[in-house]
Amino acid sequence: MNILFIGDVVGKPGRKALRSLLPDIKRTHKIEFIIANAENAAGGRGLTHEVMDELFNLEIDVLTMGNHVWDNKEIYNFIENEKRLIRPANYPPDCPGQGYGIYRAGIDRKIAVVNLMGRVFLQPLDCPFRVMEELLQEIKEQADIIIVDFHAEATSEKLAFAHYFDGRLDAVLGTHTHVQTADARIFPGGTAYITDLGMTGPYDSILGMDKAMVIQKIMSQRPVRLEVAKGPVQIEAVVLNMDENTNKVNGIERISQVLSQ
């Protein structure tokens, strides 16, 4: 069974990339289950119901979020009831929504998808290591495969998390920094890892945003309202190849494609 995890989808360009490139990727790699990070999918910040439906209509099975989960207030109207949408599990317990879900795919396989957020250079949420330990007690007897979207800034924190849970999680896949890293591998215990999946959105941009605006903000050190960039679009993701008999990861392959205008 092949599982596709798509890096942070940014605005309309990201959704255009999915409409244009995803069908061929699904056919070529014989994808049976798709996960995408959608925290920037609506206008570059947050998620709306309309955009969520658009992504699900592209046959994406699960959407994960991150530190921009609450940026669009409309999400409070639907996050609690949409089980295919998950937000970081280490937010305070009274936050709406869910931190993981268990879904069926392939030949009656149960896939647990967990969303967690790092704490280095980000909000001081609950410890993702301890939260994952607690969740494992709930999940490990229910799921055949456990995949974590670890939404974090620091490479060291992502690596530490993956090494700590090596052999207990099937994949730890980093999101948030919008630049695909070249370190996809399988750790000695069998956990597939990449520091960052990358970004699905404007190719000629700075992390999906208009280049001139980002440069102005950096150079002036004054507030600038950033806008999603225009032009060519890209899709970045990884494919996990799962062993049909053991449910372990056989391989992890990076995908990076650009669609010209």
Short mmCIF file of all heavy atoms in Angstrom, two decimals, residues 47-72:
data_model
loop_
_atom_site.label_atom_id
_atom_site.label_comp_id
_atom_site.label_asym_id
_atom_site.label_seq_id
_atom_site.Cartn_x
_atom_site.Cartn_y
_atom_site.Cartn_z
N LEU A 47 -7.99 27.91 7.45
CA LEU A 47 -8.81 27.04 6.61
C LEU A 47 -10.27 27.46 6.74
O LEU A 47 -10.75 27.76 7.83
CB LEU A 47 -8.65 25.59 7.08
CG LEU A 47 -9.34 24.50 6.26
CD1 LEU A 47 -8.72 24.37 4.87
CD2 LEU A 47 -9.25 23.17 7.00
N THR A 48 -10.97 27.46 5.60
CA THR A 48 -12.42 27.70 5.60
C THR A 48 -13.13 26.41 5.22
O THR A 48 -12.52 25.47 4.71
CB THR A 48 -12.80 28.79 4.58
OG1 THR A 48 -12.49 28.32 3.26
CG2 THR A 48 -12.06 30.09 4.85
N HIS A 49 -14.45 26.39 5.45
CA HIS A 49 -15.23 25.19 5.11
C HIS A 49 -15.21 24.96 3.61
O HIS A 49 -15.08 23.81 3.14
CB HIS A 49 -16.67 25.36 5.60
CG HIS A 49 -17.39 24.06 5.76
ND1 HIS A 49 -17.71 23.26 4.68
CD2 HIS A 49 -17.84 23.40 6.87
CE1 HIS A 49 -18.34 22.17 5.11
NE2 HIS A 49 -18.42 22.23 6.43
N GLU A 50 -15.31 26.03 2.84
CA GLU A 50 -15.31 25.90 1.38
C GLU A 50 -14.00 25.30 0.87
O GLU A 50 -14.00 24.41 0.02
CB GLU A 50 -15.55 27.26 0.74
CG GLU A 50 -15.59 27.22 -0.78
CD GLU A 50 -15.81 28.60 -1.39
OE1 GLU A 50 -15.92 29.59 -0.64
OE2 GLU A 50 -15.88 28.67 -2.64
N VAL A 51 -12.89 25.79 1.40
CA VAL A 51 -11.59 25.27 0.97
C VAL A 51 -11.40 23.83 1.45
O VAL A 51 -10.88 22.98 0.72
CB VAL A 51 -10.46 26.17 1.49
CG1 VAL A 51 -9.10 25.52 1.30
CG2 VAL A 51 -10.50 27.52 0.77
N MET A 52 -11.84 23.53 2.66
CA MET A 52 -11.76 22.16 3.15
C MET A 52 -12.52 21.21 2.22
O MET A 52 -12.00 20.14 1.84
CB MET A 52 -12.33 22.07 4.57
CG MET A 52 -12.30 20.65 5.15
SD MET A 52 -13.05 20.56 6.79
CE MET A 52 -14.79 20.81 6.38
N ASP A 53 -13.73 21.59 1.84
CA ASP A 53 -14.52 20.75 0.93
C ASP A 53 -13.82 20.58 -0.41
O ASP A 53 -13.85 19.50 -1.01
CB ASP A 53 -15.91 21.35 0.72
CG ASP A 53 -16.81 21.17 1.93
OD1 ASP A 53 -16.49 20.35 2.81
OD2 ASP A 53 -17.85 21.87 2.00
N GLU A 54 -13.20 21.65 -0.89
CA GLU A 54 -12.46 21.56 -2.16
C GLU A 54 -11.34 20.53 -2.08
O GLU A 54 -11.13 19.74 -3.01
CB GLU A 54 -11.89 22.94 -2.51
CG GLU A 54 -11.13 22.98 -3.83
CD GLU A 54 -10.56 24.35 -4.13
OE1 GLU A 54 -10.99 25.34 -3.51
OE2 GLU A 54 -9.67 24.42 -5.01
N LEU A 55 -10.64 20.51 -0.96
CA LEU A 55 -9.54 19.55 -0.79
C LEU A 55 -10.07 18.12 -0.66
O LEU A 55 -9.51 17.19 -1.26
CB LEU A 55 -8.70 19.93 0.43
CG LEU A 55 -7.96 21.27 0.33
CD1 LEU A 55 -7.29 21.61 1.65
CD2 LEU A 55 -6.95 21.26 -0.80
N PHE A 56 -11.14 17.94 0.08
CA PHE A 56 -11.72 16.60 0.19
C PHE A 56 -12.26 16.11 -1.15
O PHE A 56 -12.22 14.92 -1.45
CB PHE A 56 -12.82 16.57 1.25
CG PHE A 56 -12.31 16.60 2.67
CD1 PHE A 56 -12.99 17.32 3.65
CD2 PHE A 56 -11.17 15.91 3.03
CE1 PHE A 56 -12.53 17.34 4.97
CE2 PHE A 56 -10.69 15.94 4.34
CZ PHE A 56 -11.37 16.64 5.30
N ASN A 57 -12.74 17.02 -1.98
CA ASN A 57 -13.24 16.65 -3.30
C ASN A 57 -12.13 16.19 -4.23
O ASN A 57 -12.40 15.56 -5.26
CB ASN A 57 -14.01 17.81 -3.94
CG ASN A 57 -15.38 18.02 -3.30
OD1 ASN A 57 -15.94 17.11 -2.70
ND2 ASN A 57 -15.90 19.23 -3.40
N LEU A 58 -10.89 16.51 -3.88
CA LEU A 58 -9.73 16.02 -4.64
C LEU A 58 -9.30 14.64 -4.15
O LEU A 58 -8.24 14.15 -4.54
CB LEU A 58 -8.57 17.01 -4.51
CG LEU A 58 -8.80 18.39 -5.14
CD1 LEU A 58 -7.66 19.33 -4.77
CD2 LEU A 58 -8.93 18.27 -6.65
N GLU A 59 -10.12 14.02 -3.31
CA GLU A 59 -9.90 12.68 -2.76
C GLU A 59 -8.74 12.63 -1.77
O GLU A 59 -8.08 11.60 -1.61
CB GLU A 59 -9.71 11.65 -3.89
CG GLU A 59 -10.94 11.55 -4.78
CD GLU A 59 -10.78 10.48 -5.85
OE1 GLU A 59 -9.66 10.00 -6.10
OE2 GLU A 59 -11.81 10.11 -6.45
N ILE A 60 -8.50 13.77 -1.10
CA ILE A 60 -7.59 13.76 0.05
C ILE A 60 -8.37 13.20 1.23
O ILE A 60 -9.50 13.60 1.49
CB ILE A 60 -7.07 15.18 0.33
CG1 ILE A 60 -6.19 15.64 -0.84
CG2 ILE A 60 -6.30 15.24 1.64
CD1 ILE A 60 -5.78 17.09 -0.78
N ASP A 61 -7.77 12.27 1.96
CA ASP A 61 -8.49 11.56 3.02
C ASP A 61 -8.44 12.27 4.37
O ASP A 61 -9.42 12.22 5.13
CB ASP A 61 -7.90 10.15 3.18
CG ASP A 61 -8.10 9.31 1.93
OD1 ASP A 61 -9.23 8.87 1.68
OD2 ASP A 61 -7.11 9.10 1.20
N VAL A 62 -7.31 12.92 4.68
CA VAL A 62 -7.14 13.55 5.99
C VAL A 62 -6.40 14.87 5.82
O VAL A 62 -5.45 14.97 5.03
CB VAL A 62 -6.33 12.65 6.95
CG1 VAL A 62 -6.19 13.32 8.33
CG2 VAL A 62 -6.97 11.28 7.09
N LEU A 63 -6.82 15.89 6.57
CA LEU A 63 -6.14 17.18 6.59
C LEU A 63 -5.57 17.41 7.99
O LEU A 63 -6.28 17.28 8.98
CB LEU A 63 -7.11 18.31 6.24
CG LEU A 63 -7.73 18.27 4.84
CD1 LEU A 63 -8.74 19.39 4.69
CD2 LEU A 63 -6.67 18.34 3.75
N THR A 64 -4.30 17.78 8.04
CA THR A 64 -3.65 18.15 9.30
C THR A 64 -3.46 19.66 9.33
O THR A 64 -3.55 20.34 8.31
CB THR A 64 -2.30 17.44 9.46
OG1 THR A 64 -1.44 17.81 8.36
CG2 THR A 64 -2.48 15.93 9.47
N MET A 65 -3.16 20.19 10.51
CA MET A 65 -3.01 21.64 10.67
C MET A 65 -1.69 21.95 11.38
O MET A 65 -0.76 21.16 11.33
CB MET A 65 -4.22 22.20 11.42
CG MET A 65 -5.56 21.99 10.72
SD MET A 65 -5.70 22.82 9.12
CE MET A 65 -6.04 24.50 9.64
N GLY A 66 -1.63 23.12 12.05
CA GLY A 66 -0.41 23.54 12.73
C GLY A 66 -0.66 24.81 13.51
O GLY A 66 -1.76 25.04 14.01
N ASN A 67 0.36 25.68 13.57
CA ASN A 67 0.24 26.87 14.40
C ASN A 67 -0.72 27.91 13.82
O ASN A 67 -1.13 28.84 14.52
CB ASN A 67 1.62 27.51 14.63
CG ASN A 67 2.32 27.87 13.34
OD1 ASN A 67 2.57 26.99 12.50
ND2 ASN A 67 2.64 29.13 13.16
N HIS A 68 -1.12 27.77 12.55
CA HIS A 68 -2.08 28.70 11.95
C HIS A 68 -3.51 28.16 11.98
O HIS A 68 -4.39 28.70 11.31
CB HIS A 68 -1.69 29.02 10.50
CG HIS A 68 -0.42 29.80 10.38
ND1 HIS A 68 -0.27 31.06 10.93
CD2 HIS A 68 0.76 29.51 9.78
CE1 HIS A 68 0.96 31.50 10.66
NE2 HIS A 68 1.60 30.58 9.97
N VAL A 69 -3.73 27.12 12.75
CA VAL A 69 -5.04 26.47 12.76
C VAL A 69 -6.18 27.42 13.10
O VAL A 69 -7.27 27.33 12.54
CB VAL A 69 -5.05 25.25 13.72
CG1 VAL A 69 -4.72 25.65 15.16
CG2 VAL A 69 -6.39 24.52 13.67
N TRP A 70 -5.95 28.40 13.99
CA TRP A 70 -7.03 29.29 14.44
C TRP A 70 -7.04 30.62 13.70
O TRP A 70 -7.82 31.51 14.05
CB TRP A 70 -6.90 29.55 15.95
CG TRP A 70 -6.64 28.32 16.76
CD1 TRP A 70 -5.53 28.07 17.54
CD2 TRP A 70 -7.48 27.17 16.90
NE1 TRP A 70 -5.64 26.84 18.13
CE2 TRP A 70 -6.81 26.26 17.77
CE3 TRP A 70 -8.72 26.81 16.37
CZ2 TRP A 70 -7.36 25.03 18.10
CZ3 TRP A 70 -9.27 25.57 16.70
CH2 TRP A 70 -8.58 24.70 17.55
N ASP A 71 -6.21 30.80 12.68
CA ASP A 71 -6.10 32.11 12.02
C ASP A 71 -7.39 32.54 11.34
O ASP A 71 -7.69 33.73 11.28
CB ASP A 71 -4.96 32.08 11.00
CG ASP A 71 -3.59 32.18 11.66
OD1 ASP A 71 -3.54 32.12 12.90
OD2 ASP A 71 -2.59 32.30 10.94
N ASN A 72 -8.11 31.59 10.76
CA ASN A 72 -9.41 31.91 10.17
C ASN A 72 -10.49 31.43 11.13
O ASN A 72 -10.66 30.22 11.34
CB ASN A 72 -9.57 31.24 8.80
CG ASN A 72 -10.75 31.79 8.03
OD1 ASN A 72 -11.86 31.85 8.55
ND2 ASN A 72 -10.52 32.20 6.79
#
